[in-house]
Structure formats: structure tokens, C-alpha cells
Amino acid sequence: MEKLRFFVVSDSVGETGDLAVKAVVSQFRPHFEQVEIRRFPHIHEQDHLLQIISIAKKQDAIIIYTLVEKELRAALHDLGVKHNVAVIDLLGPMLDLLESKIKQKPLELPGIVHQLDEYYFEKIEAVEFAVKYDDGRDPRGILLADIVLVGVSRTSKTPLSQYLAHKRYKVANVPLVPEVDPPAELFMVDPKKCFGLVISPGQLNNIRKERLIALGLGEGATYAQHDRIEEEIAHFYQVVEKVGCEVIDVTNKAVEETANCIIDRIEQEKML
């Protein structure tokens, strides 16, 4: 059986070309017997192309390339013709077609798809983190988080955590009630990444009444009474003063507004 050799030449890691070769070869040799696939990643110089062509000619290898730079693609094609080496351009035809169709030049930046993948997985990780450490379920998350939110019930801690998670921030949130001591981890965290959320007693009263009604409970429950709300807010201020964190008034603020305020503070801190 003749041995098949493939060289995958890429200006990134070569994963796309590698997968394409395997998809095609599997139609002829499902168990990849007598098949060799060799990657040449991060190729950006024409001198490197000449070296690869020389090796491919000696080993009778087929070159598959995924190069986004037009000059490199053209150079490898010409070298293949000149030295009688089989070369196959995977990206070029589609890049040229789209450029012609939408009248827009490609960025020609290698590895963008992998950067997007990394962004996606960071977001998923942050969302899972926010769910795991929501509502003080596990105080260990406080020390692992990028951002820690503290506040009384119904100050938008959970939706704010999820919104920030979609911006790739790992967020833990901690509810504060007078009858329960805050977790010790809250007082160990860097106060610059901790934010207290407060709301006007009147608005909180309305929100809690609506919540009780939605649950099928009477709106006169202690949870929504003004005295109870004042007690919780007083306790909140005692805790955040001890933590030393910034307090944000979320009264009449959309989640996006509060999130942008927090992101600005966090990013400014990184620059210091």
C-alpha cells in the first residue's frame, strides 16, 4: 500500500487543514493506515515556504495550506507549480469569493477563529461560575471571583451577575440579612473588587410586594414591610463599611447601567 504524506501549512496552528485532510483521507483509508500528516504552523515568511516545498518534493507529499495572507498564498501556489509539488489552497477561493461579493478586503489576521473560540469558552466559564456561586451558595467563590456583589434581597444581584458573566467576569454574590453573619471570606476579599448594591426603601418595598404577589403570598408579609427593609439596609451599611467596598445605588438603574459602572471601576483599577 502506497504511503500518503500530507503537509499542513498554516499561519496559525493548522487545525483547520489537519481536520480537512482527515475528513478526506478517511473516505479512502478509514483507519488511516499508511497515512502521515505533518503540520507546519505559524508560517509567515516566504523563505519558510521554499524550505517546505523542498521537503515535500523529496518525500512526495501533498501540501494543504490555510494561509490568510494573499501574498503567501500566491507564493506557495507558484512554488508548487514551479517545483511540481501538489498544493491545495483551502481558504483562498472562499476569501476571494467573499471579497468580490461583499466588496470588502479581508483582515488577513491569522488565528482569529481561535481567538473567538477562546472568548466564547471564557464566557461560558464565567456564566457557570455565576450560577455556582449565586446567592452565597458557596462562600469559597468569593475569593475566586473577579467581582463580588453584596446586597439585601431584590437588589438585582443575580441578573447583574449574569450580565457581567456574559462580559467574561467571574462574579459571586452574597445576600445580606441581619439574622445571618456574612461569610468570613467577604472580609478577606480585596475591597476594590467588591461592590455593595443599595436601593431606596420605597422602591424595594414595591419590588418585594410584587414578588410576594407573584409567589401567591400576601403582600403584608414581614419581607415587604418598611421597618424590616430599613433594618436590612442598616445592616447592609454596617457590613459594607467593615468590608470597605464601594456602594452603588441601583434605584431606578437598569442592570446594564450598574454593570457598566462596575466594569469601568474594575478596568480603571487594572490600569493603576
Side-chain angles (χ1 to χ4, degrees):
M1 180 183 291
E2 179 186 0
K3 185 166 186 175
L4 298 177
R5 290 186 174 87
F6 297 90
F7 288 179
V8 176
V9 179
S10 174
D11 42 24
S12 184
V13 295
E15 184 178 359
T16 301
D18 188 85
L19 290 173
V21 170
K22 289 176 180 176
V24 173
V25 170
S26 65
Q27 297 298 315
F28 299 89
R29 299 183 182 177
H31 303 293
F32 294 94
E33 60 273 20
Q34 289 294 299
V35 175
E36 178 185 330
I37 302 174
R38 181 179 175 185
R39 289 195 201 186
F40 291 84
H42 306 296
I43 300 300
H44 302 284
E45 304 294 336
Q46 292 192 24
D47 289 345
H48 296 159
L49 298 179
L50 183 56
Q51 294 172 21
I52 294 169
I53 283 284
S54 177
I55 299 170
K57 187 174 181 63
K58 291 177 182 177
Q59 298 187 12
D60 192 26
I62 299 171
I63 294 179
I64 310 295
Y65 59 100
T66 55
L67 301 168
V68 295
E69 295 180 47
K70 183 173 287 189
E71 288 187 6
L72 282 180
R73 294 201 310 272
L76 186 51
H77 173 270
D78 292 345
L79 286 169
V81 172
K82 180 178 179 181
H83 295 275
N84 196 29
V85 173
V87 294
I88 301 173
D89 182 0
L90 288 186
L91 301 185
M94 187 174 291
L95 286 167
D96 292 341
L97 177 63
L98 280 178
E99 180 179 352
S100 174
K101 182 175 179 59
I102 67 176
K103 303 297 186 289
Q104 179 180 332
K105 293 287 185 182
L107 298 175
E108 296 191 358
L109 296 175
I112 291 179
V113 66
H114 299 292
Q115 293 172 16
L116 292 175
D117 286 345
E118 183 179 353
Y119 181 97
Y120 172 79
F121 286 116
E122 285 179 356
K123 182 170 72 172
I124 294 301
E125 184 180 2
V127 169
E128 291 176 346
F129 186 97
V131 171
K132 183 176 182 179
Y133 298 110
D134 181 47
D135 209 30
R137 290 175 186 167
D138 186 345
R140 291 176 297 182
I142 294 172
L143 299 178
L144 300 173
D146 300 319
I147 298 170
V148 178
L149 305 177
V150 296
V152 302
S153 174
R154 314 313 295 177
T155 50
S156 299
K157 296 186 299 299
T158 295
L160 182 55
S161 295
Q162 285 295 324
Y163 185 91
L164 290 167
H166 279 80
K167 301 294 183 180
R168 297 182 297 159
Y169 293 97
K170 294 180 179 179
V171 186
N173 73 73
V174 182
L176 298 179
V177 292
E179 294 79 13
V180 180
D181 290 335
E185 289 84 353
L186 185 59
F187 304 103
M188 299 165 59
V189 74
D190 182 353
K192 292 176 183 175
K193 70 176 186 179
C194 184
F195 297 87
L197 307 179
V198 72
I199 190 171
S200 72
Q203 184 170 345
L204 185 55
N205 173 256
N206 291 332
I207 292 172
R208 288 190 174 183
K209 282 182 178 179
E210 290 177 6
R211 176 61 175 166
L212 289 171
I213 292 171
L215 292 173
L217 303 173
E219 63 178 54
T222 303
Y223 177 70
Q225 291 179 359
H226 280 285
D227 289 347
R228 173 61 184 184
I229 289 172
E230 294 285 0
E231 180 187 4
E232 289 186 28
I233 291 177
H235 174 69
F236 162 82
Y237 276 112
Q238 290 175 1
V239 173
V240 295
E241 183 177 356
K242 186 175 179 181
V243 173
C245 65
E246 180 176 349
V247 174
I248 299 176
D249 189 339
V250 299
T251 306
N252 297 321
K253 268 194 176 75
V255 167
E256 294 86 345
E257 290 180 80
T258 308
N260 289 335
C261 180
I262 290 172
I263 291 171
D264 287 345
R265 302 286 198 283
I266 292 292
E267 294 305 317
Q268 286 173 13
E269 191 60 36
K270 287 181 181 178
M271 296 173 62
L272 297 178

